[in-house]
Amino acid sequence: MRRAGIAVASVFGVGVVAAVIGVIVLVVVAVNSLTGIVSSSATPKALTCPAASAKTVGGVVVPAGPVGGFCQDRLVNAAEVIRAARALGIGPHTQAVGVMTAIGESGLVNLDHGDAVGPDSRGLFQQRDNGAWGTYEQRMDPYTAASMFYAKLVKVPGWKSMTPTQMAHAVQVNADPDHYAKYWPTAKRVVEGLTGQTVPDTAPQG
């Protein structure tokens, strides 16, 4: 009987060990699966843009992309912002301020709608229907909308000494003055990629 008891205990012990090993294996598999899910979701996919012939907007050659994370449909709007700035004699730094503002307001999409705060806002710069930003057609025209943005900016006292987000806020009057700051590096890449010019972080004082 003692031998039988030992045999039963041995079999029972082996069963427990096998069960424990099985649980450990399941835990390892689950952890690896979750790690894979987290890793795949945390790693951004490379942007692939549709094939397209280059377009020229006011002397700016717009490729299929991506440039700064944008494809040609949005880069064309960035080129219109650059064209408007150049028409006013505005250089690369402040060209990028305009592009940054449009990214922060619309993601470089010429939106035909507003939001809860400004339901009457329209266009790249989400300019409102309050008499200060022209007609609906003007606000929905990227070049004209950008021209109105810059025309107001250059009238702000001391605008050249402001940071990019302060410059944008002085015109747009966003609830958060620092709202645009996070878009500055992207705007620089877009302007540099489209124009081949270096964008300084501060406006020229001359």
Side-chain angles (χ1 to χ4, degrees), residues 75-87:
L75 293 173
V76 165
N77 290 329
E80 291 287 7
V81 176
I82 294 169
R83 181 168 76 97
R86 285 179 169 179

Side-chain angles (χ1 to χ4, degrees), residues 69-205:
F70 296 103
C71 295
Q72 190 180 68
D73 58 334
R74 302 193 190 195
L75 293 173
V76 165
N77 290 329
E80 291 287 7
V81 176
I82 294 169
R83 181 168 76 97
R86 285 179 169 179
L88 295 171
I90 290 171
H93 170 272
T94 311
Q95 291 170 18
V97 170
V99 172
M100 173 195 72
T101 306
I103 294 173
E105 291 290 350
S106 66
L108 289 177
V109 176
N110 197 30
L111 298 176
D112 194 14
H113 61 79
D115 55 22
V117 177
D120 57 347
S121 299
R122 294 292 185 275
L124 287 183
F125 292 86
Q126 287 292 277
Q127 293 157 332
R128 302 195 64 177
D129 186 18
N130 56 13
W133 295 110
T135 65
Y136 166 83
E137 289 76 16
Q138 289 173 319
R139 290 180 289 140
M140 285 300 297
D141 179 71
Y143 176 81
T144 304
S147 298
M148 292 190 292
F149 169 83
Y150 286 120
K152 186 171 180 179
L153 174 61
V154 298
K155 294 178 182 178
V156 175
W159 66 273
K160 287 187 178 182
S161 63
M162 296 178 177
T163 64
T165 191
Q166 288 172 339
M167 293 166 72
H169 176 66
V171 177
Q172 301 295 109
V173 195
N174 193 285
D176 177 10
D178 295 320
H179 167 70
Y180 306 96
K182 57 183 171 288
Y183 304 110
W184 177 244
T186 300
K188 286 181 62 176
R189 289 196 297 272
V190 169
V191 173
E192 289 177 344
L194 293 181
T195 67
Q197 295 182 288
T198 299
V199 175
D201 282 317
T202 56
Q205 298 299 306

Side-chain angles (χ1 to χ4, degrees), residues 10-24:
S10 298
V11 171
F12 179 75
V14 170
V16 170
V17 170
V20 170
I21 291 173
V23 170
I24 291 173

